Amino acid sequence: MSDAADHDTLKFYRANAETYAQRQPRGTEQMTGFLAALPPGGSILELGCGAGYQAAQMLAAGFDVHPTDGSAEMAAQAQQRLGREVRTMLFHELDADAAYDGVWAYACLLHVPRDELASVLSRVWRALKPGGWFYASFKSGEGEGRDKLARYYNYPSEEWLRARYAEAGGWASIDVARDQGKGFDGELASFLHVMVQKQS
Ligand code: SAM
């Protein structure tokens, strides 16, 4: 496996897909803003879709959703929920060009090794149509680390994250919002919600 994916993190999601699938949907506020920015019925690539709850919400809102996840076991959970194909795809395997109106990546790019993040973000930039929108969330901090479940986190500061986005491509705007919430490990964490628009 390439260094662009963290082996222990994927091992966790492969082994715990069924339990993780019991989690309740999150990110309603962020999704409302994201969907409002897109053309009605527009095409959305979802990265790290987990058990497919958010894909189900975006499909119900009438969008053309393409869910993906790097864990085949998690993709199978999503496929069962959605009744449609869910592609097993690692972030660094994304190779689309100007194909999507939006890319949705809720609480998943936080697992990309710090050295690889700008490269993955540039793949997302390339996959978007001009003027397309991209949402992603991260657990904030001051340097990489692992949680008690052995999952890797890049724990960015806002400043560090803005620099990685700027390195990755040309954006018309980069908006960062903050809140707090509990992760699957039960620990309270500070989140950075990043919404950007590709230059037209
Ligand atoms: N977005 C979903 C949600 O909010 O419920 C799942 C979030 S979960 C915290 C992170 C997801 O990212 C897992 O489903 C995991 O399999 C996936 N993932 C982790 N590393 C990945 C990688 N390198 N490529 C693709 N998916 C990955």
Side-chain angles (χ1 to χ4, degrees):
M1 188 180 295
S2 151
D3 289 338
D6 183 70
H7 180 76
D8 286 341
T9 302
L10 280 165
K11 198 169 144 192
F12 170 85
Y13 288 109
R14 284 200 291 261
N16 295 283
E18 216 167 306
T19 316
Y20 195 88
Q22 313 303 322
R23 284 209 88 192
Q24 291 306 305
R26 299 158 294 149
T28 309
E29 183 190 334
Q30 290 78 24
M31 186 182 290
T32 302
F34 173 73
L35 295 182
L38 301 184
S43 55
I44 299 173
L45 170 70
E46 184 176 14
L47 299 174
C49 71
Y53 283 109
Q54 293 179 325
Q57 291 171 329
M58 294 189 282
L59 284 164
F63 289 89
D64 174 24
V65 185
H66 302 260
T68 65
D69 197 278
S71 152
E73 289 78 359
M74 203 61 99
Q77 292 287 332
Q79 194 157 304
Q80 203 175 329
R81 167 160 293 105
L82 301 170
R84 62 167 60 203
E85 195 193 336
V86 175
R87 188 175 161 202
T88 300
M89 185 188 81
L90 295 164
F91 304 134
H92 62 273
E93 291 173 337
L94 173 59
D95 202 21
D97 193 350
Y100 302 102
D101 296 300
V103 175
W104 176 257
Y106 193 92
C108 58
L109 297 183
L110 37 62
H111 293 313
V112 177
R114 281 169 83 90
D115 289 354
E116 299 293 334
L117 187 61
S119 158
V120 169
L121 295 176
S122 73
R123 287 180 179 275
V124 172
W125 183 88
R126 183 163 173 256
L128 284 168
K129 295 177 187 173
W133 291 87
F134 167 36
Y135 165 86
S137 50
F138 298 84
K139 283 186 183 176
S140 72
E142 291 297 336
E144 64 192 352
R146 290 185 187 273
D147 68 5
K148 62 188 182 194
L149 303 172
R151 296 178 296 178
Y152 170 94
Y153 286 86
N154 44 37
Y155 292 132
S157 65
E158 179 175 340
E159 189 188 14
W160 185 88
L161 197 52
R162 282 181 179 275
R164 299 294 79 71
Y165 272 77
E167 216 178 299
W171 310 100
S173 59
I174 303 180
D175 290 318
V176 181
R178 295 163 178 271
D179 68 2
Q180 293 202 318
K182 274 193 181 169
F184 188 69
D185 61 359
E187 303 286 335
L188 191 63
S190 295
F191 283 89
L192 297 172
H193 301 274
V194 187
M195 175 87 158
V196 294
Q197 184 180 26
K198 182 175 179 174
Q199 280 174 351
S200 294

